[in-house]
Amino acid sequence: MARRPIIAGNWKMNKTASEATELIKELKPLVKDAKCDVVVCVPAIDIPAVKKAIHGSKIRLGAQNVHFADKGAFTGEISTDMLKEYGVQYVIIGHSERRQYFGETDDTVNKRTLAAIAAGLIPIVCIGESLEERESGKTEEVLSKQISLDFRGVADFSKIVVAYEPIWAIGTGKTATDEQANEAIGYIRMRMKKLYPNKNVGKLRIQYGGSMNAKNCKGLMAQPEIDGGLIGGASLKAQDFATIVNFDK
Ligand code: PGA
């Protein structure tokens, strides 16, 4: 069975609650006929406003991080229960910005991923290589390491989403070519199948992320291995994000 495409916006640290409400208001009619899953991963403090704003639409709510403990002395963190009470269904985990600026490691990515799954949230787990790693021919080695460490203990890969985000393409305007993205995602799927046999990897959805926009989305989405997109900059403009969501039109 074909995998259902999933287009997710990663708003990062953008939009106040009132700006978020405005953006969703504009977006709603533009994505009403979407044939794919549509998700917006918003700053935690915007979640209540966005929950209200998306009511009655196909847009689903996502967060940008979650802690692995149920509760406790973890200042600044947010639990799975806190997200679920507001109808959050998806959560980005291990984004390269969190790995780079906030000390996220393969180990904490793995813990957060397992906690999200246990709570019934759908993690969108980000992996990808840096420019230096790509240029020194280490892309597959890096992906392979992340694959073996970040997904330990995942029982059913149809319940998660993976985002392949080459770090050199994030926020730089330098998109991977359709072929580069397809090849890397094909490699990820192949490694996953080898490392995690009988765990539904055939149903795992793998997105591309990194300067995906209204212009290049059709080419990327036409690639057989690419099941969707994780969209940063272009998800902050309703028209652009809607064009990506409606890539099949
Ligand atoms: P970008 O970000 O689309 O702005 O490159 C993608 C991401 O970081 O998820």
Side-chain angles (χ1 to χ4, degrees):
M1 211 180 71
R3 296 177 293 265
R4 185 174 164 82
I6 172 166
I7 302 292
N10 173 13
W11 289 8
K12 308 191 180 184
M13 196 176 72
N14 293 290
K15 305 288 173 189
T16 64
S18 53
E19 289 166 350
T21 303
E22 279 306 305
L23 176 54
I24 297 291
K25 211 161 112 189
E26 212 187 317
L27 184 63
K28 259 166 121 170
L30 303 175
V31 299
K32 67 176 176 12
D33 299 319
K35 301 271 188 317
C36 59
D37 290 343
V38 185
V39 183
V40 288
C41 299
V42 307
I45 201 162
D46 292 350
I47 287 172
V50 173
K51 175 186 162 53
K52 225 191 224 169
I54 61 175
H55 185 77
S57 78
K58 288 190 171 165
I59 305 166
R60 298 290 172 261
L61 191 47
Q64 298 176 8
N65 193 16
V66 71
H67 199 258
F68 36 85
D70 288 347
K71 60 170 87 164
F74 300 102
T75 302
E77 291 285 322
I78 289 181
S79 75
T80 53
D81 279 352
M82 293 171 192
L83 296 180
K84 286 202 306 178
E85 194 164 303
Y86 278 99
V88 171
Q89 295 179 14
Y90 295 83
V91 57
I92 297 173
I93 292 174
H95 190 279
S96 61
E97 285 149 20
R98 295 218 57 88
R99 294 178 192 253
Q100 192 180 346
Y101 306 130
F102 301 101
E104 196 79 64
T105 64
D106 288 315
D107 186 50
T108 55
V109 169
N110 181 244
K111 285 184 177 151
R112 291 182 203 273
T113 300
L114 295 179
I117 296 169
L121 295 166
I122 301 174
I124 300 176
V125 186
C126 303
I127 60 175
E129 81 287 358
S130 66
L131 184 59
E132 197 192 339
E133 289 161 344
R134 176 161 283 263
E135 285 178 344
S136 54
K138 291 203 180 117
T139 299
E140 293 191 351
E141 190 186 315
V142 169
L143 292 175
S144 184
K145 182 164 172 251
Q146 291 173 328
I147 291 165
S148 66
L149 298 176
D150 296 3
F151 303 99
R152 277 170 303 171
V154 173
D156 181 354
F157 282 85
S158 71
K159 302 235 162 71
I160 76 167
V161 174
V162 169
Y164 166 62
E165 298 208 310
I167 298 167
W168 47 272
I170 296 177
T172 57
K174 262 196 214 167
T175 327
T177 63
D178 299 348
E179 294 73 26
Q180 277 173 330
N182 192 60
E183 190 186 317
I185 291 177
Y187 174 78
I188 292 168
R189 204 183 305 282
M190 187 272 291
R191 281 299 298 165
M192 291 269 201
K193 280 189 176 153
K194 268 219 179 100
L195 227 58
Y196 306 102
N198 308 318
K199 301 261 164 73
N200 252 338
V201 172
K203 289 190 181 154
L204 168 66
R205 294 186 292 177
I206 309 180
Q207 299 172 312
Y208 168 76
S211 299
M212 191 161 165
N213 58 38
K215 284 210 178 87
N216 60 27
C217 63
K218 273 193 201 303
L220 287 162
M221 290 303 296
Q223 297 294 318
E225 297 286 355
I226 303 179
D227 302 322
L230 184 57
I231 322 296
S235 72
L236 299 173
K237 292 190 192 125
Q239 283 290 352
D240 286 5
F241 188 60
T243 302
I244 302 171
V245 165
N246 298 315
F247 67 90
D248 54 333
K249 304 214 169 67

